[in-house]
Amino acid sequence: MFPARLRPYDPDQPDGAGRIAPAVPVIIILGVALLALVTSEGLAWLPLLAVGPALAAAHSGPYGVMRIGLLAVVVGALLGTQGDESMRTQAIILATPAAVALASCGASALRRRREQVLAAVRSVAEAAQNALLTPVPALVGQFQVAVCYSAAAAEARVGGDLYALLPTPHGVRLIVGDVRGKGLPAVSTAALVLGVFREAAYDEPNLLDVVARIERSLSRNLAPDDFVTAVVAGYPNEGRMELVNCGHAPPLLVGETGIIAVEPTRPAPPLGLASLGGELPSLQVVPFAEGDQLLLYTDGVIEARDRGREYFPLLERVPRHICDEPSRTLASLHDELLSHVGGRLHDDAALLLLRKPVLGAVRRAVDVPSAGADAPSA
């Protein structure tokens, strides 16, 4: 769904350490054999041969563990012939790696079975993610678009953050939101919000009516203490972007004058809490010209902390990475976010970047002949 560099950390992807790991048990067995040969203790080192099959159970199958165990026993038997101990003593010493190898075979088989169950669960989670967060193309209507989503639980690969962007008879419309809580209840609420949004975005000419339909649906289906923060946006007319902010982090508008956070003129409560009173959602209109960009994100981005408990300064970091390619902008921004937190996010995080291309520049690029084109004949 996303470029590989935008995906959350996957423990199944082998890295340098993962490729070396299968050789570690053999290295340990050879190291123990060397110690037994060069020191005076002799057979006293041989019980350490059991470390080889024990480690092999962490990454090898039962047959691989059995081969490592057999190697440990054979090496121990060969070394035992060099000492003066009785056959009974040698047999007792060799029983240790043999017993550990058998136990490790069982542990390896159990690990393999659990990995198969986890793989099945992940496949279901990915299918749910593809159904819930449908892939967003690089071009939607007249906009360039890029999306980055990282679930805090890499094993699940789906969480409570949500986004959708689609062309409608009323212009391109989009939503980015964050469901309170985690796990399956949050995923269920996200699915409800997205389903209502996709229907209402096509039916309702007024963006506030789209938000109202989502609010009515949530009021019927959510628990009293549940809610969803969201920004709903639309581009009904040239040069005009409409925003409705319901308790969500302010979008960042990137234009010729710089980068500004579009704070709501009248802060409204999150979706699902309208019955508690407070301000009703209001429609905010901002200029959106060619070359402008709009970055929407969830709390998992700005609340990501480093080891010093410092929040990720998104507004300060965006200028370093902004460019004319939204996908490249989000890729480098996501890399810096992961670097800030030390490689693993602790909350779901979503980023959506929308850019209005400069049409004049595109036309000029098309009109310019390529260097390899034939010159006109005289």
Side-chain angles (χ1 to χ4, degrees):
M1 184 173 182
F2 306 110
R5 68 185 302 179
L6 295 185
R7 291 183 180 175
Y9 168 75
D10 189 345
D12 286 342
Q13 296 296 324
D15 53 12
R19 289 188 289 268
I20 297 174
V24 172
V26 177
I27 295 173
I28 290 176
I29 291 173
L30 296 178
V32 172
L34 182 63
L35 285 173
L37 290 174
V38 301
T39 61
S40 59
E41 284 78 5
L43 293 181
W45 293 103
L46 296 189
L48 291 179
L49 292 171
V51 176
L55 285 179
H59 54 78
S60 300
Y63 292 107
V65 175
M66 186 62 70
R67 287 193 291 268
I68 296 296
L70 182 60
L71 175 63
V73 172
V74 170
V75 169
L78 292 175
L79 293 174
T81 61
Q82 308 298 319
D84 299 330
E85 286 80 0
S86 64
M87 292 293 296
R88 182 173 181 274
T89 302
Q90 294 182 29
I92 293 174
I93 294 175
L94 292 178
T96 301
V100 172
L102 291 175
S104 298
C105 285
S108 175
L110 182 60
R111 177 185 58 79
R112 279 290 179 90
R113 184 173 181 179
R114 289 178 176 174
E115 286 178 349
Q116 292 172 354
V117 172
L118 179 58
V121 171
R122 284 182 172 178
S123 66
V124 173
E126 290 204 2
Q129 184 188 44
N130 290 333
L132 177 64
L133 303 176
T134 55
V136 174
L139 291 174
V140 177
Q142 53 190 312
F143 295 101
Q144 297 172 277
V145 184
V147 175
C148 171
Y149 177 81
S150 296
E155 294 79 8
R157 302 183 184 178
V158 66
D161 287 2
L162 58 97
Y163 63 84
L165 187 146
L166 61 160
T168 75
H170 317 292
V172 173
R173 287 179 167 176
L174 60 105
I175 183 173
V176 171
D178 188 358
V179 179
R180 176 187 177 274
K182 294 181 176 65
L184 290 179
V187 174
S188 177
T189 302
L192 174 64
V193 172
L194 290 175
V196 177
F197 169 77
R198 288 173 179 140
E199 288 293 326
Y202 274 91
D203 296 341
E204 303 292 348
N206 192 314
L207 198 63
L208 284 174
D209 293 334
V210 175
V211 176
R213 280 182 58 171
I214 299 174
E215 177 65 42
R216 289 195 298 270
S217 180
L218 290 178
S219 65
R220 293 192 301 265
N221 294 280
L222 284 190
D225 57 343
D226 287 335
F227 58 85
V228 180
T229 67
V231 172
V232 183
Y235 190 79
N237 299 309
E238 195 69 26
R240 173 187 174 189
M241 181 70 72
E242 296 180 345
L243 299 171
V244 180
N245 193 326
C246 300
H248 199 74
L252 300 184
L253 180 62
V254 183
E256 292 184 354
T257 59
I259 302 176
I260 61 171
V262 185
E263 298 284 352
T265 53
R266 288 193 313 174
L271 296 168
L273 298 181
S275 60
L276 301 180
E279 290 283 350
L280 294 176
S282 61
L283 187 70
Q284 189 174 4
V285 180
V286 296
F288 201 74
E290 292 181 357
D292 287 352
Q293 303 188 52
L294 186 69
L295 177 64
L296 298 98
Y297 51 93
T298 58
D299 289 346
V301 176
I302 56 175
E303 293 180 357
R305 300 192 184 195
D306 60 11
R307 293 182 177 178
R309 308 300 293 169
E310 294 292 332
Y311 290 112
F312 181 68
L314 180 64
L315 187 58
E316 298 176 11
R317 302 295 173 86
V318 169
R320 303 181 185 179
H321 308 288
I322 203 71
C323 66
D324 293 343
E325 297 181 18
S327 60
R328 192 170 66 182
T329 298
L330 287 195
S332 57
L333 188 61
H334 184 264
D335 286 345
E336 183 161 0
L337 175 63
L338 290 181
S339 176
H340 179 80
V341 299
R344 187 71 177 269
L345 292 170
H346 299 287
D347 193 8
D348 303 331
L351 293 153
L352 189 151
L353 183 60
L354 194 73
R355 181 177 185 269
K356 182 77 160 54
V358 180
L359 299 181
V362 174
R363 292 195 188 101
R364 287 193 296 272
V366 172
D367 293 339
V368 174
S370 61
D374 295 334
S377 57

